[in-house]
């Protein structure tokens, strides 16, 4: 990145290209993290979308089922996109739909025992991958990085 900045200093000395170094490193770090996460999920024949649904359902402390709308809101996505994700997971018998006991027109989605087991295994290996990615940073560094990125991301 230093050589790119040096080239820009020659080509356009009127520009301050220091933001390129920060954003470029963020981009490269993000891409490396995504490759590592996707490689881990591939072991379970999951993509990030399916993994998100499984973990959203798994982290419900009371193991309650969620409506597709609740899942979509929690994951900040459209209901039609959520339906597609749920359909794929139902086909794999990782989640199931059932009627809402309080509203016969509504459906609820919950993990099957197989889905719960897969979510538990996948989240453990996912955390191991993330730990490996962060292994060069102390906990203080990690906390500082998280705080800085939170400020940047809003």
């Amino acid at each position: 990145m230093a050589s790119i900045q040096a080239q820009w200093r020659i080509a356009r000395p009127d520009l301050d290209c220091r933001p390129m170094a920060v954003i470029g490193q963020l981009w490269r770090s993000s891409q490396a993290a995504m490759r590592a996460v996707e490689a881990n999920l591939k072991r379970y024949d999951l993509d990030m979308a399916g993994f998100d649904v499984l973990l959203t359902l798994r982290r419900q402390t009371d193991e309650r089922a969620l409506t597709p709308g609740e899942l979509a809101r929690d994951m900040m996505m459209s209901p039609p996109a959520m339906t597609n994700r749920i359909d794929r997971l139902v086909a794999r018998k990782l989640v199931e739909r059932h009627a809402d006991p309080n509203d016969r027109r509504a459906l609820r989605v919950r993990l099957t025992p197989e889905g719960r087991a897969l979510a538990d295994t996948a989240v453990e290996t996912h955390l191991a991958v993330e730990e490996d990615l962060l292994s060069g940073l102390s906990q203080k560094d990690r906390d500082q990085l998280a705080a800085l990125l939170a400020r940047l991301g809003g």
Side-chain angles (χ1 to χ4, degrees), residues 18-52:
R18 290 178 293 181
M20 284 182 184
V22 176
I23 300 303
Q25 194 56 55
L26 278 172
W27 181 256
R28 278 192 290 285
S29 297
S30 173
Q31 293 299 310
M34 286 305 298
R35 282 190 302 273
V37 166
E38 287 170 353
N40 180 57
L41 295 180
K42 190 174 184 176
R43 297 167 47 190
Y44 307 107
D45 193 25
L46 285 173
D47 58 12
M48 197 59 153
F51 183 60
D52 281 346

Side-chain angles (χ1 to χ4, degrees), residues 69-121:
E70 288 170 330
L71 274 168
R73 275 190 302 280
D74 192 44
M75 297 172 62
M76 296 180 289
M77 57 185 313
S78 72
M82 179 54 63
T83 298
N84 187 20
R85 288 180 182 187
I86 293 168
D87 288 344
R88 289 193 305 253
L89 295 170
V90 166
R92 290 189 57 197
K93 298 181 176 26
L94 298 174
V95 302
E96 59 189 10
R97 290 182 178 101
H98 63 91
D100 185 325
N102 300 318
D103 181 354
R104 292 180 12 182
R105 297 167 296 157
L107 293 174
R108 294 214 165 251
V109 180
R110 68 174 163 226
L111 291 171
T112 63
E114 296 85 358
R116 184 180 178 87
L118 181 62
D120 284 343
T121 300

Side-chain angles (χ1 to χ4, degrees), residues 9 13 16 29 35 49 81 84-85 112 119 127 130 137 145 154:
R9 275 194 295 277
D16 178 3
S29 297
R35 282 190 302 273
N84 187 20
R85 288 180 182 187
T112 63
L127 286 170
E130 290 183 336
L137 300 176
L145 180 59

